[in-house]
Amino acid sequence: MENILEIKNLCKKYDNFELKNVTFNLPKGMIMGFIGENGAGKTTTIKAILNIIKSNHEELKIFGLDNCKDEEKIKEEIGVVLDDMFFPEILTPNDINNIMKSIYKTWDSKMFNNYLKKFSLLSNNQIKTFSKGMRKKLEIITALSHHPKLLILDEPTSGLDPIARTEIINIFQNFIENGDCSILFSTHITTDLEHIADYITFINNGKIILSKPTNELLDNYGIVKCTEKEFKNINKKDYIKYQKTKYEYEILIENKKDFKTKYDISIIDKITLDDLMVLMIKGEE
Amino acid sequence: MIGFIKKDIAMIKSNFKLLGILFIAFTIMGLFGKMDISFILAFMSVMIMISTFSYDNYNKWDAYALTLPNSRKNNVKSKYITTILMILIVSIITIILSFIISYINVKTINYEQIFISMLDTIFGTLLVLSFMYPIIYKFGIEKARIGIFFIVFLLVAIGGFLSQYLDLSLITKLLLSIENYLALILIILSIIIVYVSYKISERIFNKKEF
């Protein structure tokens, strides 16, 4: 399968934080959920992909092109929503339309205006008069209106109510319908992703700890709930992490089928991305 | 790059009302107080351009701009071009106002004096902005604002101190000797200063991380 984004051994060092050998690929036509707790390195990774910050890497390719050498070409074809970074708020959607016409060769004013109407955003009102949800929608439709092939979104749904979130998720689903477009979507609200993400990449403390198709993850991974006695009989190799709760042990396993054949434990729950995040981060090895 | 210039102009436009009121106020002051109206140019140009940096900073525009095509090259360039464009427009308005004020006040128009006074002010404004921009790009508008205030204060203090002990007649003589070429010298100096400032800002911006 052709990859639209390829990252190999991406490193970036700050005084108090470090990205360590971040490696993952985003196949064409797919939505990838990029998850991790606050401060895990999601935004830093995205900024490095976009060359907003300088990084060391073995490979960083978008559309098969080098992210630095072919920066201009790449940026013509990506749409970006960054957390809290946008046009100055004294501008209006009309101003944005006018400005973007001169920035993107493929800017589609008609599409932009249709989106404005669809989401009831007044084209002559300054951005500062918009609510948080309205601003986010404006940022997203601005990222979409030049027909990009890849959307890179940093926390596009954070701070929004469920209705606005659903509307925004629907926009993304429509966007990838034709099969040529892809989305890299960072969030810590993992419930958004279970419905739409084809792949999940999980970053913790600057390291990628998992990058897999969502189906594979949700079908194979599971949480075993058992007593202390049962837990002590389980081989360490057969689980990833565990945590002790008030009444039982919760054990994160990678393959439910294999586990069932080996052990006689009946309670194996389906996993949610939230469970996965909590156990991966807080659980013991 | 035109997109980036349009963005700055759109921001300036949204402050048109305030600018209009200031212009009228200064014109009235010029009419009654016989104040040199070219001062408006310096004051307003600096104020307008600094406000664009403040808005950019508040909404983290520079980081967002880097996600758009052609940004590293054009972000700084467009700021300098907008500045020059704006100084030109404000100059034209100021010259027209100066003519009117001069005509109303003394019934004649001293073209030469108005042009020289304008040229001095344009040079002064470009000098101040050329000095400020690299500092703003390096340290950000918030820190730069305090820094610039401090530096200007320091320069005035040093100037004041030196003028008590130095013989200024030499400088006066020098200025008088080049009087005939003053316009040309100021134009050439302006171009050099703006160019050097632009190159420094560009270098700073290229290395900058957000």
Side-chain angles (χ1 to χ4, degrees), chain A residues 1-5 25-32 63 148-151 172-184 196-199:
Chain A
M1 201 187 299
E2 195 186 334
N3 288 325
I4 213 155
L5 173 67
N25 296 325
L26 169 59
K28 191 174 176 181
M30 301 289 166
I31 298 184
M32 177 180 278
F63 315 122
K149 288 190 181 139
L150 169 65
L151 276 186
F172 298 151
Q173 276 174 322
N174 291 336
F175 171 73
I176 60 149
E177 250 170 12
N178 70 8
D180 275 343
C181 306
S182 317
I183 302 179
L184 176 69
I196 62 160
D198 305 293
Y199 280 78

Side-chain angles (χ1 to χ4, degrees), chain A residues 52-262:
Chain A
I52 295 177
I53 55 170
K54 309 276 179 219
S55 61
N56 294 317
H57 49 260
E58 203 181 314
E59 191 175 78
L60 217 168
K61 284 185 173 173
I62 305 176
F63 315 122
L65 303 167
D66 185 272
N67 85 319
C68 296
K69 275 187 219 150
D70 300 298
E71 193 176 358
E72 285 169 27
K73 220 173 171 183
I74 290 170
K75 287 184 176 171
E76 277 287 347
E77 297 194 351
I78 54 176
V80 180
V81 175
L82 294 172
D83 206 11
D84 284 339
M85 300 170 196
F86 196 52
F87 278 91
E89 63 183 21
I90 50 165
L91 299 184
T92 65
N94 260 348
D95 291 327
I96 292 178
N97 183 24
N98 195 20
I99 292 162
M100 288 309 211
K101 260 190 246 170
S102 310
I103 289 180
Y104 287 110
K105 288 176 194 144
T106 49
W107 181 257
D108 188 341
S109 290
K110 205 175 154 194
M111 184 180 186
F112 182 75
N113 286 323
N114 284 342
Y115 270 131
L116 287 180
K117 271 185 212 142
K118 189 174 170 188
F119 294 110
S120 314
L121 299 170
L122 296 172
S123 56
N124 281 319
N125 280 20
Q126 289 186 337
I127 302 171
K128 67 179 173 193
T129 64
F130 291 174
S131 70
K132 196 168 180 184
M134 288 158 90
R135 280 180 201 219
K136 250 321 159 229
K137 282 180 203 161
L138 179 63
E139 288 173 27
I140 290 164
I141 64 177
T142 307
L144 283 173
S145 297
H146 64 286
H147 305 283
K149 288 190 181 139
L150 169 65
L151 276 186
I152 297 181
L153 313 160
D154 192 13
E155 306 277 359
T157 53
S158 75
L160 300 185
D161 62 63
I163 295 159
R165 274 192 0 234
T166 313
E167 278 179 321
I168 283 170
I169 300 280
N170 287 339
I171 307 178
F172 298 151
Q173 276 174 322
N174 291 336
F175 171 73
I176 60 149
E177 250 170 12
N178 70 8
D180 275 343
C181 306
S182 317
I183 302 179
L184 176 69
F185 181 146
S186 100
T187 184
H188 55 262
I189 309 168
T190 53
T191 42
D192 288 345
L193 292 173
E194 278 165 23
H195 310 295
I196 62 160
D198 305 293
Y199 280 78
I200 296 292
T201 296
F202 183 3
I203 189 168
N204 189 33
N205 208 8
K207 271 188 196 161
I208 300 290
I209 50 177
L210 181 157
S211 187
K212 286 191 170 165
T214 317
N215 286 344
E216 197 182 308
L217 206 69
L218 297 180
D219 292 347
N220 295 343
Y221 279 58
I223 296 182
V224 176
K225 292 186 173 167
C226 61
T227 62
E228 189 172 355
K229 197 179 157 197
E230 284 170 320
F231 173 69
K232 281 184 177 159
N233 285 329
I234 299 170
N235 190 330
K236 269 194 172 183
K237 283 180 194 160
D238 291 329
Y239 65 84
I240 307 168
K241 296 258 177 138
Y242 76 92
Q243 70 174 1
K244 198 181 164 188
T245 64
K246 206 171 173 185
Y247 304 106
E248 59 195 0
Y249 276 74
E250 288 182 351
I251 308 161
L252 178 67
I253 55 166
E254 201 172 342
N255 195 319
K256 280 190 278 196
K257 267 188 199 161
D258 284 358
F259 193 86
K260 273 181 192 163
T261 55
K262 279 189 187 171

Side-chain angles (χ1 to χ4, degrees), chain B residues 51-70:
Chain B
S51 78
T52 67
F53 277 103
S54 296
Y55 284 123
D56 285 352
N57 172 63
Y58 186 69
N59 295 97
K60 298 182 190 155
W61 156 258
D62 283 342
Y64 177 75
L66 288 181
T67 71
L68 307 173
N70 249 328

